[in-house]
Amino acid sequence: MKTFELNNKQRIPAVGFGVFMIPNDGPTYDATLAALKAGYRHIDTAAGYCNESDVGKAIKDSGIDRSEIFITSKLWVQDMMDYESAQKGIEASLEKSGLEYFDLYLLHQACGDYFSAWRAMETAYQEGKLKAIGVSNFYPDRLVDLALDTDVVPAVNQVEVNPFHQQDAALIYNTKYGVQLEAWAPFAEGKNGIFTNETLVEIGNKYNKSVGQVILRWLVQRGIVPLAKTVRKERMQENLNIFDFELS
Ligand code: NAP
């Protein structure tokens, strides 16, 4: 799969598989295993999704070498009170997932004492427990403020990006500071008729691709990493099949 280079030289697969709202104790395990089988090598979970343990189990059982899979998790806001609570939150994520390291770990929101939480993430990064660190849901002003005032500039900012919420300003500022933009809810969570939107359907017809594929391709061509979620195997495949065409 195509990859993008992060600001610390780590490479991130251009499309990720998200597991938000998929329950733990079975469903996330099944979905992650199926996604790995379909060819995904980038999984996006979070402490707040309460399914890190299923993700970790699926990765172990997949038989795929750990070094070939890029796994992201996130620190939830209750663990952003201070440096110590963030340290505990990071350790809890590692323990729940049963993984020795995360490829990427994010501050889920700009909440609480997120500067202290960031410093705890910097320590875990120096220790090799987190191979890259970043943020999520940071507006450009917060992002620039953090980037200018820390030792490690965030590698990633994960924000909502989809055709209804295109984030032009975020793309400009994140790119300027060397921060890779990721798109959550690339399909706008299926709301507002996105899959039957006339313009998107028309573009899909032109390339013989589905609306979902047009959206993901549009994001990747803008240099953004989409995180697509589905529990259906055929859609997992469909959402990966975007590297054989180019939007004009
Ligand atoms: P999404 O990916 O925009 O949309 C998921 C919806 O689209 C599901 O209802 C899914 O249904 C459907 N779908 C997927 N592929 C499809 C296709 N090819 N054709 C038709 N329908 C399709 O929404 P999301 O799950 O909210 O966001 C994606 C990921 O971003 C999450 O899983 C999570 O990892 C991340 N995220 C992060 C944050 C944050 O604050 N950082 C917030 C939200 C999400 P089925 O499952 O039934 O196929």
Side-chain angles (χ1 to χ4, degrees), residues 33-135:
L33 209 51
L36 290 168
K37 217 171 190 176
Y40 289 85
R41 291 296 180 268
H42 174 178
I43 310 292
D44 184 84
T45 182
Y49 303 170
C50 301
N51 57 15
E52 291 166 306
S53 60
D54 264 22
V55 168
K57 270 186 226 147
I59 283 157
K60 285 224 166 71
D61 292 352
S62 71
I64 301 165
D65 198 89
R66 170 69 184 89
S67 64
E68 288 176 31
I69 309 174
F70 189 101
I71 307 158
T72 302
S73 194
K74 315 180 190 89
L75 190 69
W76 187 232
V77 294
Q78 74 208 13
D79 296 322
M80 289 163 59
M81 309 302 284
D82 49 30
Y83 184 92
E84 288 73 24
S85 66
Q87 265 189 323
K88 279 187 198 144
I90 296 164
E91 289 303 328
S93 277
L94 286 166
E95 200 177 309
K96 278 185 189 145
S97 65
L99 300 171
E100 282 174 18
Y101 67 90
F102 286 109
D103 298 274
L104 177 64
Y105 202 75
L106 309 177
L107 291 178
H108 208 138
Q109 311 266 354
C111 284
D113 181 1
Y114 66 82
F115 271 87
S116 292
W118 183 255
R119 301 207 198 291
M121 296 214 332
E122 285 179 328
T123 303
Y125 174 65
Q126 307 300 355
E127 292 169 349
K129 294 174 181 172
L130 311 176
K131 300 292 180 192
I133 53 176
V135 297

Side-chain angles (χ1 to χ4, degrees), residues 6 23 33 67 76 78 102 124 132 136 141 147 149 158 161-162 166 174 178 200 209 212 219 223-224 243:
L6 301 179
L33 209 51
S67 64
W76 187 232
Q78 74 208 13
F102 286 109
S136 179
D141 53 353
D149 199 26
Q158 183 180 122
V161 195
N162 54 57
Q166 303 195 3
N174 283 270
L200 294 171
K209 288 287 178 180
L219 287 162
I224 300 170
F243 296 102

Side-chain angles (χ1 to χ4, degrees), residues 160-182:
E160 181 183 1
V161 195
N162 54 57
F164 300 151
H165 191 51
Q166 303 195 3
Q167 295 272 25
D168 290 336
L171 185 56
I172 291 167
Y173 281 100
N174 283 270
T175 305
K176 186 173 171 189
Y177 286 86
V179 182
Q180 172 67 50
L181 210 60
E182 289 187 340

Side-chain angles (χ1 to χ4, degrees), residues 17-20 44-45 49 74 108-109 136-137 158 183-190 195 210 212 227-232 235 238-239:
F17 181 76
V19 296
F20 179 44
D44 184 84
T45 182
Y49 303 170
K74 315 180 190 89
H108 208 138
Q109 311 266 354
S136 179
N137 299 305
Q158 183 180 122
W184 63 255
F187 306 133
E189 295 172 334
F195 290 110
S210 70
L227 305 163
K229 174 262 166 188
T230 177
V231 291
R232 304 187 201 198
R235 288 181 179 170
E238 178 189 329
N239 294 347

Side-chain angles (χ1 to χ4, degrees), residues 22-33:
I22 311 181
N24 201 47
D25 295 328
T28 297
Y29 175 85
D30 294 342
T32 306
L33 209 51

Side-chain angles (χ1 to χ4, degrees), residues 7-19:
N7 61 14
N8 68 350
K9 305 290 177 209
Q10 293 276 116
R11 297 206 74 90
I12 184 168
V15 176
F17 181 76
V19 296

Side-chain angles (χ1 to χ4, degrees), residues 195-215:
F195 290 110
T196 51
N197 177 277
E198 253 180 57
T199 306
L200 294 171
V201 168
E202 199 179 306
I203 298 169
N205 289 342
K206 180 172 159 192
Y207 294 94
N208 205 17
K209 288 287 178 180
S210 70
V211 165
Q213 290 168 326
V214 168
I215 294 171

